[in-house]
Amino acid sequence: MDFNLDETQQEIKKLAAGLLEREATRERLEAFEKSGAAYDTVTWKALAQAGLLGLVLPEDAGGAGLGPVELAVVLREVGLKVAPVPVYASLALAAVPIGLHGTAEQKALLGPLTEGETVLTGAYREVGPAGEIATTARRDGDGFVLDGVKTFVPYAREASRILVPARVEGEGVDEGIGVFLVEPSAAAVTAQPSATSEPLSRVALDGARVGPDALLGGTADGAAWDALRRSAVAGAVALASGVIEGALALTTEYVKTREQFERALAQFQAVTMQIGDVYIAKRALDVAAWAGVWRLAEGAADTDEVLAVAAYNACDPVVQALYTCQHLHGGIGLDVTYPLHRYFAWGKQCAHLLGGAEETLDSLGALVAQEA
């Protein structure tokens, strides 16, 4: 594959990078963190006005109809600037599966998103291994009754809809996994700890009733769930790719300018070797992440396997690299008035959302075994 971005993708990168350079300044991030707001509404509106929130939305919903690579370009820039905006939740966890599988009425929910007037999200995780769905949707008359618990759902309170994967049961028969568009008011939403300023919630569905129009695409064949989980993984590794690049740039500048024993830290061999390790971890994730989103865009048979490789790199080598960045900064690396802590927190949160190193390795092993 060609890892170079095409002309359109380069323009998207330039646009996103320039906008976030202006909006997600250190001063703005510090002010935002003191505000207690769920997300930076000014930056969110700016992304909408620049057309970046509509990139992956279908054209009949007012979007540009672009795909996973273009979304990864934007998410990587968001991670690079650790910008507190719900791009991952709204696009990767919600807009992508709605755009691919939604009915005309369901796609109409995407219109306000292009204007930055609403937030959407998806309940990708629940208790247990990633990809296993215990939540159920029981047919009841012309609607469904949902039961189950979803965990670490970003922006659940702020979203107009939450995409909830569930096993559809009808007359005692498992009909497959469907994805339901649920209003937050229909569930019990409680806050959960978050490594970053991004709000995470536990969403309990205790007999929540939804109408027939809540089932995404009107089918429970698993296609909508496949779209959601692949987009969730691809989006998280793209974010992590930007995060480690930002952390590496900050650390490189620090060791070049910080002196000990009248020498810059970068002149010490041990420091050089450690910075090299961080660079290798970053490049390994870059390669896996771009390979994964490209295969996702092409509908390749090994998409899940390559995304699992990227997820492992985001959960283990990159997290270890972030520890190294903190170590090379010394005490200032732990200071919340210094920007490195944001990159560390974001990197850890991406790893949590992906399930952690052991789980991603288990998933990769299972996929490799299927090929044997």
PDB file of all heavy atoms in Angstrom, residues 76-116:
ATOM      1  N   ARG A  76      -6.416  12.019  13.996  1.00  0.00           N
ATOM      2  CA  ARG A  76      -4.999  12.084  14.347  1.00  0.00           C
ATOM      3  C   ARG A  76      -4.595  13.511  14.721  1.00  0.00           C
ATOM      4  O   ARG A  76      -3.810  13.729  15.642  1.00  0.00           O
ATOM      5  CB  ARG A  76      -4.155  11.580  13.182  1.00  0.00           C
ATOM      6  CG  ARG A  76      -2.736  11.212  13.577  1.00  0.00           C
ATOM      7  CD  ARG A  76      -1.993  10.538  12.432  1.00  0.00           C
ATOM      8  NE  ARG A  76      -0.687  10.081  12.875  1.00  0.00           N
ATOM      9  CZ  ARG A  76       0.381  10.883  12.980  1.00  0.00           C
ATOM     10  NH1 ARG A  76       0.262  12.165  12.688  1.00  0.00           N
ATOM     11  NH2 ARG A  76       1.547  10.409  13.389  1.00  0.00           N
ATOM     12  N   GLU A  77      -5.147  14.493  14.012  1.00  0.00           N
ATOM     13  CA  GLU A  77      -4.858  15.890  14.356  1.00  0.00           C
ATOM     14  C   GLU A  77      -5.493  16.271  15.689  1.00  0.00           C
ATOM     15  O   GLU A  77      -4.917  17.037  16.463  1.00  0.00           O
ATOM     16  CB  GLU A  77      -5.357  16.810  13.247  1.00  0.00           C
ATOM     17  CG  GLU A  77      -4.627  16.655  11.925  1.00  0.00           C
ATOM     18  CD  GLU A  77      -3.127  16.889  12.044  1.00  0.00           C
ATOM     19  OE1 GLU A  77      -2.732  17.841  12.739  1.00  0.00           O
ATOM     20  OE2 GLU A  77      -2.355  16.102  11.459  1.00  0.00           O
ATOM     21  N   VAL A  78      -6.686  15.733  15.968  1.00  0.00           N
ATOM     22  CA  VAL A  78      -7.322  15.973  17.266  1.00  0.00           C
ATOM     23  C   VAL A  78      -6.448  15.406  18.387  1.00  0.00           C
ATOM     24  O   VAL A  78      -6.218  16.054  19.417  1.00  0.00           O
ATOM     25  CB  VAL A  78      -8.727  15.345  17.322  1.00  0.00           C
ATOM     26  CG1 VAL A  78      -9.303  15.394  18.736  1.00  0.00           C
ATOM     27  CG2 VAL A  78      -9.665  16.071  16.357  1.00  0.00           C
ATOM     28  N   GLY A  79      -5.914  14.191  18.199  1.00  0.00           N
ATOM     29  CA  GLY A  79      -5.032  13.593  19.192  1.00  0.00           C
ATOM     30  C   GLY A  79      -3.728  14.348  19.329  1.00  0.00           C
ATOM     31  O   GLY A  79      -3.196  14.485  20.435  1.00  0.00           O
ATOM     32  N   LEU A  80      -3.204  14.855  18.229  1.00  0.00           N
ATOM     33  CA  LEU A  80      -1.946  15.598  18.252  1.00  0.00           C
ATOM     34  C   LEU A  80      -2.058  16.853  19.107  1.00  0.00           C
ATOM     35  O   LEU A  80      -1.100  17.255  19.783  1.00  0.00           O
ATOM     36  CB  LEU A  80      -1.552  15.968  16.824  1.00  0.00           C
ATOM     37  CG  LEU A  80      -0.248  16.726  16.614  1.00  0.00           C
ATOM     38  CD1 LEU A  80       0.938  15.924  17.114  1.00  0.00           C
ATOM     39  CD2 LEU A  80      -0.067  17.090  15.143  1.00  0.00           C
ATOM     40  N   LYS A  81      -3.225  17.467  19.111  1.00  0.00           N
ATOM     41  CA  LYS A  81      -3.447  18.688  19.883  1.00  0.00           C
ATOM     42  C   LYS A  81      -4.244  18.407  21.167  1.00  0.00           C
ATOM     43  O   LYS A  81      -4.569  19.347  21.889  1.00  0.00           O
ATOM     44  CB  LYS A  81      -4.195  19.720  19.040  1.00  0.00           C
ATOM     45  CG  LYS A  81      -3.370  20.282  17.897  1.00  0.00           C
ATOM     46  CD  LYS A  81      -2.148  21.023  18.424  1.00  0.00           C
ATOM     47  CE  LYS A  81      -1.332  21.625  17.308  1.00  0.00           C
ATOM     48  NZ  LYS A  81      -0.124  22.308  17.824  1.00  0.00           N
ATOM     49  N   VAL A  82      -4.566  17.150  21.436  1.00  0.00           N
ATOM     50  CA  VAL A  82      -5.407  16.746  22.570  1.00  0.00           C
ATOM     51  C   VAL A  82      -6.572  17.734  22.745  1.00  0.00           C
ATOM     52  O   VAL A  82      -6.822  18.261  23.826  1.00  0.00           O
ATOM     53  CB  VAL A  82      -4.588  16.586  23.879  1.00  0.00           C
ATOM     54  CG1 VAL A  82      -3.754  15.331  23.827  1.00  0.00           C
ATOM     55  CG2 VAL A  82      -3.697  17.797  24.167  1.00  0.00           C
ATOM     56  N   ALA A  83      -7.274  17.966  21.643  1.00  0.00           N
ATOM     57  CA  ALA A  83      -8.374  18.926  21.629  1.00  0.00           C
ATOM     58  C   ALA A  83      -9.622  18.310  22.252  1.00  0.00           C
ATOM     59  O   ALA A  83     -10.079  17.246  21.807  1.00  0.00           O
ATOM     60  CB  ALA A  83      -8.667  19.369  20.191  1.00  0.00           C
ATOM     61  N   PRO A  84     -10.214  18.950  23.255  1.00  0.00           N
ATOM     62  CA  PRO A  84     -11.374  18.383  23.969  1.00  0.00           C
ATOM     63  C   PRO A  84     -12.684  18.574  23.215  1.00  0.00           C
ATOM     64  O   PRO A  84     -13.535  19.372  23.598  1.00  0.00           O
ATOM     65  CB  PRO A  84     -11.361  19.153  25.296  1.00  0.00           C
ATOM     66  CG  PRO A  84     -10.781  20.487  24.942  1.00  0.00           C
ATOM     67  CD  PRO A  84      -9.768  20.224  23.860  1.00  0.00           C
ATOM     68  N   VAL A  85     -12.840  17.842  22.133  1.00  0.00           N
ATOM     69  CA  VAL A  85     -14.054  17.902  21.319  1.00  0.00           C
ATOM     70  C   VAL A  85     -14.527  16.480  21.024  1.00  0.00           C
ATOM     71  O   VAL A  85     -13.710  15.568  20.884  1.00  0.00           O
ATOM     72  CB  VAL A  85     -13.806  18.664  19.989  1.00  0.00           C
ATOM     73  CG1 VAL A  85     -13.744  20.155  20.230  1.00  0.00           C
ATOM     74  CG2 VAL A  85     -12.526  18.190  19.311  1.00  0.00           C
ATOM     75  N   PRO A  86     -15.842  16.259  20.923  1.00  0.00           N
ATOM     76  CA  PRO A  86     -16.382  14.897  20.758  1.00  0.00           C
ATOM     77  C   PRO A  86     -16.368  14.382  19.324  1.00  0.00           C
ATOM     78  O   PRO A  86     -17.355  13.841  18.831  1.00  0.00           O
ATOM     79  CB  PRO A  86     -17.812  15.036  21.296  1.00  0.00           C
ATOM     80  CG  PRO A  86     -18.182  16.446  21.010  1.00  0.00           C
ATOM     81  CD  PRO A  86     -16.918  17.249  21.167  1.00  0.00           C
ATOM     82  N   VAL A  87     -15.237  14.537  18.644  1.00  0.00           N
ATOM     83  CA  VAL A  87     -15.142  14.071  17.253  1.00  0.00           C
ATOM     84  C   VAL A  87     -15.163  12.551  17.191  1.00  0.00           C
ATOM     85  O   VAL A  87     -15.868  11.951  16.372  1.00  0.00           O
ATOM     86  CB  VAL A  87     -13.866  14.623  16.582  1.00  0.00           C
ATOM     87  CG1 VAL A  87     -13.742  14.077  15.153  1.00  0.00           C
ATOM     88  CG2 VAL A  87     -13.881  16.143  16.559  1.00  0.00           C
ATOM     89  N   TYR A  88     -14.382  11.899  18.061  1.00  0.00           N
ATOM     90  CA  TYR A  88     -14.348  10.433  18.061  1.00  0.00           C
ATOM     91  C   TYR A  88     -15.717   9.855  18.378  1.00  0.00           C
ATOM     92  O   TYR A  88     -16.214   8.961  17.676  1.00  0.00           O
ATOM     93  CB  TYR A  88     -13.315   9.938  19.074  1.00  0.00           C
ATOM     94  CG  TYR A  88     -13.327   8.443  19.294  1.00  0.00           C
ATOM     95  CD1 TYR A  88     -12.888   7.580  18.299  1.00  0.00           C
ATOM     96  CD2 TYR A  88     -13.782   7.902  20.485  1.00  0.00           C
ATOM     97  CE1 TYR A  88     -12.900   6.201  18.496  1.00  0.00           C
ATOM     98  CE2 TYR A  88     -13.792   6.540  20.699  1.00  0.00           C
ATOM     99  CZ  TYR A  88     -13.348   5.681  19.696  1.00  0.00           C
ATOM    100  OH  TYR A  88     -13.377   4.320  19.889  1.00  0.00           O
ATOM    101  N   ALA A  89     -16.358  10.355  19.425  1.00  0.00           N
ATOM    102  CA  ALA A  89     -17.667   9.833  19.824  1.00  0.00           C
ATOM    103  C   ALA A  89     -18.703  10.059  18.741  1.00  0.00           C
ATOM    104  O   ALA A  89     -19.448   9.140  18.374  1.00  0.00           O
ATOM    105  CB  ALA A  89     -18.115  10.498  21.133  1.00  0.00           C
ATOM    106  N   SER A  90     -18.765  11.272  18.217  1.00  0.00           N
ATOM    107  CA  SER A  90     -19.830  11.623  17.272  1.00  0.00           C
ATOM    108  C   SER A  90     -19.641  10.993  15.904  1.00  0.00           C
ATOM    109  O   SER A  90     -20.615  10.558  15.278  1.00  0.00           O
ATOM    110  CB  SER A  90     -19.913  13.148  17.120  1.00  0.00           C
ATOM    111  OG  SER A  90     -20.370  13.752  18.311  1.00  0.00           O
ATOM    112  N   LEU A  91     -18.394  10.923  15.435  1.00  0.00           N
ATOM    113  CA  LEU A  91     -18.155  10.403  14.092  1.00  0.00           C
ATOM    114  C   LEU A  91     -17.841   8.916  14.090  1.00  0.00           C
ATOM    115  O   LEU A  91     -18.544   8.117  13.469  1.00  0.00           O
ATOM    116  CB  LEU A  91     -17.030  11.200  13.418  1.00  0.00           C
ATOM    117  CG  LEU A  91     -17.278  12.693  13.232  1.00  0.00           C
ATOM    118  CD1 LEU A  91     -16.153  13.330  12.422  1.00  0.00           C
ATOM    119  CD2 LEU A  91     -18.624  12.961  12.560  1.00  0.00           C
ATOM    120  N   ALA A  92     -16.778   8.510  14.789  1.00  0.00           N
ATOM    121  CA  ALA A  92     -16.373   7.103  14.740  1.00  0.00           C
ATOM    122  C   ALA A  92     -17.386   6.170  15.388  1.00  0.00           C
ATOM    123  O   ALA A  92     -17.655   5.073  14.877  1.00  0.00           O
ATOM    124  CB  ALA A  92     -15.010   6.932  15.409  1.00  0.00           C
ATOM    125  N   LEU A  93     -17.972   6.597  16.524  1.00  0.00           N
ATOM    126  CA  LEU A  93     -18.891   5.718  17.250  1.00  0.00           C
ATOM    127  C   LEU A  93     -20.344   5.841  16.804  1.00  0.00           C
ATOM    128  O   LEU A  93     -21.172   5.019  17.186  1.00  0.00           O
ATOM    129  CB  LEU A  93     -18.817   6.011  18.750  1.00  0.00           C
ATOM    130  CG  LEU A  93     -17.491   5.731  19.444  1.00  0.00           C
ATOM    131  CD1 LEU A  93     -17.604   6.014  20.940  1.00  0.00           C
ATOM    132  CD2 LEU A  93     -17.026   4.302  19.211  1.00  0.00           C
ATOM    133  N   ALA A  94     -20.673   6.857  16.022  1.00  0.00           N
ATOM    134  CA  ALA A  94     -22.086   7.062  15.687  1.00  0.00           C
ATOM    135  C   ALA A  94     -22.329   7.378  14.218  1.00  0.00           C
ATOM    136  O   ALA A  94     -23.063   6.657  13.536  1.00  0.00           O
ATOM    137  CB  ALA A  94     -22.659   8.177  16.562  1.00  0.00           C
ATOM    138  N   ALA A  95     -21.732   8.456  13.712  1.00  0.00           N
ATOM    139  CA  ALA A  95     -22.051   8.896  12.356  1.00  0.00           C
ATOM    140  C   ALA A  95     -21.679   7.862  11.289  1.00  0.00           C
ATOM    141  O   ALA A  95     -22.409   7.682  10.314  1.00  0.00           O
ATOM    142  CB  ALA A  95     -21.350  10.223  12.057  1.00  0.00           C
ATOM    143  N   VAL A  96     -20.549   7.190  11.480  1.00  0.00           N
ATOM    144  CA  VAL A  96     -20.126   6.200  10.475  1.00  0.00           C
ATOM    145  C   VAL A  96     -21.133   5.064  10.342  1.00  0.00           C
ATOM    146  O   VAL A  96     -21.613   4.772   9.236  1.00  0.00           O
ATOM    147  CB  VAL A  96     -18.717   5.672  10.790  1.00  0.00           C
ATOM    148  CG1 VAL A  96     -18.397   4.436   9.942  1.00  0.00           C
ATOM    149  CG2 VAL A  96     -17.675   6.756  10.534  1.00  0.00           C
ATOM    150  N   PRO A  97     -21.510   4.357  11.437  1.00  0.00           N
ATOM    151  CA  PRO A  97     -22.513   3.289  11.275  1.00  0.00           C
ATOM    152  C   PRO A  97     -23.871   3.807  10.826  1.00  0.00           C
ATOM    153  O   PRO A  97     -24.556   3.127  10.054  1.00  0.00           O
ATOM    154  CB  PRO A  97     -22.583   2.640  12.660  1.00  0.00           C
ATOM    155  CG  PRO A  97     -21.903   3.572  13.593  1.00  0.00           C
ATOM    156  CD  PRO A  97     -20.931   4.352  12.799  1.00  0.00           C
ATOM    157  N   ILE A  98     -24.290   4.987  11.286  1.00  0.00           N
ATOM    158  CA  ILE A  98     -25.570   5.534  10.815  1.00  0.00           C
ATOM    159  C   ILE A  98     -25.510   5.828   9.327  1.00  0.00           C
ATOM    160  O   ILE A  98     -26.433   5.499   8.573  1.00  0.00           O
ATOM    161  CB  ILE A  98     -25.936   6.811  11.599  1.00  0.00           C
ATOM    162  CG1 ILE A  98     -26.252   6.480  13.060  1.00  0.00           C
ATOM    163  CG2 ILE A  98     -27.145   7.499  10.968  1.00  0.00           C
ATOM    164  CD1 ILE A  98     -26.475   7.702  13.932  1.00  0.00           C
ATOM    165  N   GLY A  99     -24.417   6.422   8.885  1.00  0.00           N
ATOM    166  CA  GLY A  99     -24.275   6.734   7.471  1.00  0.00           C
ATOM    167  C   GLY A  99     -24.256   5.505   6.578  1.00  0.00           C
ATOM    168  O   GLY A  99     -24.773   5.519   5.462  1.00  0.00           O
ATOM    169  N   LEU A 100     -23.668   4.417   7.082  1.00  0.00           N
ATOM    170  CA  LEU A 100     -23.559   3.195   6.285  1.00  0.00           C
ATOM    171  C   LEU A 100     -24.834   2.363   6.293  1.00  0.00           C
ATOM    172  O   LEU A 100     -25.177   1.725   5.291  1.00  0.00           O
ATOM    173  CB  LEU A 100     -22.392   2.344   6.800  1.00  0.00           C
ATOM    174  CG  LEU A 100     -20.983   2.864   6.544  1.00  0.00           C
ATOM    175  CD1 LEU A 100     -19.968   2.000   7.265  1.00  0.00           C
ATOM    176  CD2 LEU A 100     -20.689   2.901   5.043  1.00  0.00           C
ATOM    177  N   HIS A 101     -25.554   2.352   7.416  1.00  0.00           N
ATOM    178  CA  HIS A 101     -26.659   1.408   7.560  1.00  0.00           C
ATOM    179  C   HIS A 101     -27.997   2.038   7.944  1.00  0.00           C
ATOM    180  O   HIS A 101     -29.000   1.321   8.021  1.00  0.00           O
ATOM    181  CB  HIS A 101     -26.290   0.354   8.616  1.00  0.00           C
ATOM    182  CG  HIS A 101     -25.085  -0.456   8.245  1.00  0.00           C
ATOM    183  ND1 HIS A 101     -25.125  -1.465   7.310  1.00  0.00           N
ATOM    184  CD2 HIS A 101     -23.791  -0.381   8.669  1.00  0.00           C
ATOM    185  CE1 HIS A 101     -23.909  -1.988   7.171  1.00  0.00           C
ATOM    186  NE2 HIS A 101     -23.087  -1.344   7.990  1.00  0.00           N
ATOM    187  N   GLY A 102     -28.022   3.328   8.190  1.00  0.00           N
ATOM    188  CA  GLY A 102     -29.255   3.956   8.639  1.00  0.00           C
ATOM    189  C   GLY A 102     -30.296   4.122   7.549  1.00  0.00           C
ATOM    190  O   GLY A 102     -29.986   4.187   6.361  1.00  0.00           O
ATOM    191  N   THR A 103     -31.546   4.188   7.963  1.00  0.00           N
ATOM    192  CA  THR A 103     -32.628   4.528   7.044  1.00  0.00           C
ATOM    193  C   THR A 103     -32.570   6.028   6.764  1.00  0.00           C
ATOM    194  O   THR A 103     -31.816   6.769   7.404  1.00  0.00           O
ATOM    195  CB  THR A 103     -33.988   4.174   7.670  1.00  0.00           C
ATOM    196  OG1 THR A 103     -34.170   4.979   8.856  1.00  0.00           O
ATOM    197  CG2 THR A 103     -34.055   2.706   8.052  1.00  0.00           C
ATOM    198  N   ALA A 104     -33.388   6.485   5.836  1.00  0.00           N
ATOM    199  CA  ALA A 104     -33.414   7.913   5.518  1.00  0.00           C
ATOM    200  C   ALA A 104     -33.765   8.742   6.753  1.00  0.00           C
ATOM    201  O   ALA A 104     -33.181   9.800   7.000  1.00  0.00           O
ATOM    202  CB  ALA A 104     -34.403   8.180   4.395  1.00  0.00           C
ATOM    203  N   GLU A 105     -34.718   8.252   7.543  1.00  0.00           N
ATOM    204  CA  GLU A 105     -35.124   8.968   8.752  1.00  0.00           C
ATOM    205  C   GLU A 105     -33.988   8.988   9.777  1.00  0.00           C
ATOM    206  O   GLU A 105     -33.779   9.990  10.466  1.00  0.00           O
ATOM    207  CB  GLU A 105     -36.358   8.312   9.368  1.00  0.00           C
ATOM    208  CG  GLU A 105     -37.638   8.456   8.547  1.00  0.00           C
ATOM    209  CD  GLU A 105     -37.672   7.524   7.335  1.00  0.00           C
ATOM    210  OE1 GLU A 105     -36.822   6.578   7.283  1.00  0.00           O
ATOM    211  OE2 GLU A 105     -38.520   7.738   6.443  1.00  0.00           O
ATOM    212  N   GLN A 106     -33.253   7.889   9.891  1.00  0.00           N
ATOM    213  CA  GLN A 106     -32.148   7.841  10.846  1.00  0.00           C
ATOM    214  C   GLN A 106     -30.988   8.729  10.393  1.00  0.00           C
ATOM    215  O   GLN A 106     -30.342   9.396  11.211  1.00  0.00           O
ATOM    216  CB  GLN A 106     -31.686   6.392  11.028  1.00  0.00           C
ATOM    217  CG  GLN A 106     -32.721   5.538  11.764  1.00  0.00           C
ATOM    218  CD  GLN A 106     -32.447   4.048  11.652  1.00  0.00           C
ATOM    219  OE1 GLN A 106     -31.684   3.602  10.789  1.00  0.00           O
ATOM    220  NE2 GLN A 106     -33.078   3.254  12.516  1.00  0.00           N
ATOM    221  N   LYS A 107     -30.717   8.762   9.105  1.00  0.00           N
ATOM    222  CA  LYS A 107     -29.658   9.624   8.587  1.00  0.00           C
ATOM    223  C   LYS A 107     -29.979  11.098   8.779  1.00  0.00           C
ATOM    224  O   LYS A 107     -29.070  11.935   8.838  1.00  0.00           O
ATOM    225  CB  LYS A 107     -29.414   9.337   7.107  1.00  0.00           C
ATOM    226  CG  LYS A 107     -28.757   7.994   6.826  1.00  0.00           C
ATOM    227  CD  LYS A 107     -28.537   7.790   5.337  1.00  0.00           C
ATOM    228  CE  LYS A 107     -27.947   6.415   5.046  1.00  0.00           C
ATOM    229  NZ  LYS A 107     -27.744   6.195   3.589  1.00  0.00           N
ATOM    230  N   ALA A 108     -31.255  11.418   8.909  1.00  0.00           N
ATOM    231  CA  ALA A 108     -31.638  12.811   9.150  1.00  0.00           C
ATOM    232  C   ALA A 108     -31.075  13.330  10.467  1.00  0.00           C
ATOM    233  O   ALA A 108     -30.921  14.544  10.645  1.00  0.00           O
ATOM    234  CB  ALA A 108     -33.159  12.943   9.131  1.00  0.00           C
ATOM    235  N   LEU A 109     -30.747  12.420  11.398  1.00  0.00           N
ATOM    236  CA  LEU A 109     -30.144  12.817  12.669  1.00  0.00           C
ATOM    237  C   LEU A 109     -28.753  13.400  12.476  1.00  0.00           C
ATOM    238  O   LEU A 109     -28.233  14.096  13.367  1.00  0.00           O
ATOM    239  CB  LEU A 109     -30.047  11.613  13.614  1.00  0.00           C
ATOM    240  CG  LEU A 109     -31.364  10.987  14.089  1.00  0.00           C
ATOM    241  CD1 LEU A 109     -31.088   9.674  14.792  1.00  0.00           C
ATOM    242  CD2 LEU A 109     -32.090  11.943  15.023  1.00  0.00           C
ATOM    243  N   LEU A 110     -28.143  13.134  11.330  1.00  0.00           N
ATOM    244  CA  LEU A 110     -26.778  13.587  11.085  1.00  0.00           C
ATOM    245  C   LEU A 110     -26.716  15.042  10.650  1.00  0.00           C
ATOM    246  O   LEU A 110     -25.655  15.676  10.743  1.00  0.00           O
ATOM    247  CB  LEU A 110     -26.116  12.705  10.015  1.00  0.00           C
ATOM    248  CG  LEU A 110     -26.017  11.210  10.348  1.00  0.00           C
ATOM    249  CD1 LEU A 110     -25.412  10.451   9.176  1.00  0.00           C
ATOM    250  CD2 LEU A 110     -25.202  10.987  11.608  1.00  0.00           C
ATOM    251  N   GLY A 111     -27.831  15.579  10.148  1.00  0.00           N
ATOM    252  CA  GLY A 111     -27.846  16.952   9.677  1.00  0.00           C
ATOM    253  C   GLY A 111     -27.357  17.951  10.710  1.00  0.00           C
ATOM    254  O   GLY A 111     -26.427  18.733  10.442  1.00  0.00           O
ATOM    255  N   PRO A 112     -27.941  17.958  11.915  1.00  0.00           N
ATOM    256  CA  PRO A 112     -27.475  18.903  12.941  1.00  0.00           C
ATOM    257  C   PRO A 112     -26.015  18.706  13.335  1.00  0.00           C
ATOM    258  O   PRO A 112     -25.360  19.647  13.782  1.00  0.00           O
ATOM    259  CB  PRO A 112     -28.403  18.614  14.124  1.00  0.00           C
ATOM    260  CG  PRO A 112     -29.622  18.003  13.516  1.00  0.00           C
ATOM    261  CD  PRO A 112     -29.130  17.208  12.353  1.00  0.00           C
ATOM    262  N   LEU A 113     -25.490  17.478  13.151  1.00  0.00           N
ATOM    263  CA  LEU A 113     -24.089  17.220  13.493  1.00  0.00           C
ATOM    264  C   LEU A 113     -23.158  18.004  12.584  1.00  0.00           C
ATOM    265  O   LEU A 113     -22.122  18.517  13.035  1.00  0.00           O
ATOM    266  CB  LEU A 113     -23.807  15.719  13.401  1.00  0.00           C
ATOM    267  CG  LEU A 113     -22.374  15.256  13.698  1.00  0.00           C
ATOM    268  CD1 LEU A 113     -21.951  15.681  15.101  1.00  0.00           C
ATOM    269  CD2 LEU A 113     -22.263  13.748  13.552  1.00  0.00           C
ATOM    270  N   THR A 114     -23.491  18.103  11.310  1.00  0.00           N
ATOM    271  CA  THR A 114     -22.626  18.835  10.383  1.00  0.00           C
ATOM    272  C   THR A 114     -22.512  20.305  10.771  1.00  0.00           C
ATOM    273  O   THR A 114     -21.521  20.959  10.449  1.00  0.00           O
ATOM    274  CB  THR A 114     -23.160  18.747   8.939  1.00  0.00           C
ATOM    275  OG1 THR A 114     -24.441  19.387   8.862  1.00  0.00           O
ATOM    276  CG2 THR A 114     -23.293  17.308   8.492  1.00  0.00           C
ATOM    277  N   GLU A 115     -23.520  20.814  11.472  1.00  0.00           N
ATOM    278  CA  GLU A 115     -23.511  22.214  11.903  1.00  0.00           C
ATOM    279  C   GLU A 115     -22.941  22.383  13.312  1.00  0.00           C
ATOM    280  O   GLU A 115     -22.886  23.500  13.822  1.00  0.00           O
ATOM    281  CB  GLU A 115     -24.939  22.782  11.862  1.00  0.00           C
ATOM    282  CG  GLU A 115     -25.621  22.652  10.523  1.00  0.00           C
ATOM    283  CD  GLU A 115     -24.898  23.437   9.440  1.00  0.00           C
ATOM    284  OE1 GLU A 115     -24.359  24.523   9.772  1.00  0.00           O
ATOM    285  OE2 GLU A 115     -24.875  22.980   8.283  1.00  0.00           O
ATOM    286  N   GLY A 116     -22.553  21.287  13.937  1.00  0.00           N
ATOM    287  CA  GLY A 116     -22.028  21.369  15.292  1.00  0.00           C
ATOM    288  C   GLY A 116     -23.094  21.660  16.319  1.00  0.00           C
ATOM    289  O   GLY A 116     -22.804  22.130  17.428  1.00  0.00           O
TER     290      GLY A 116
END
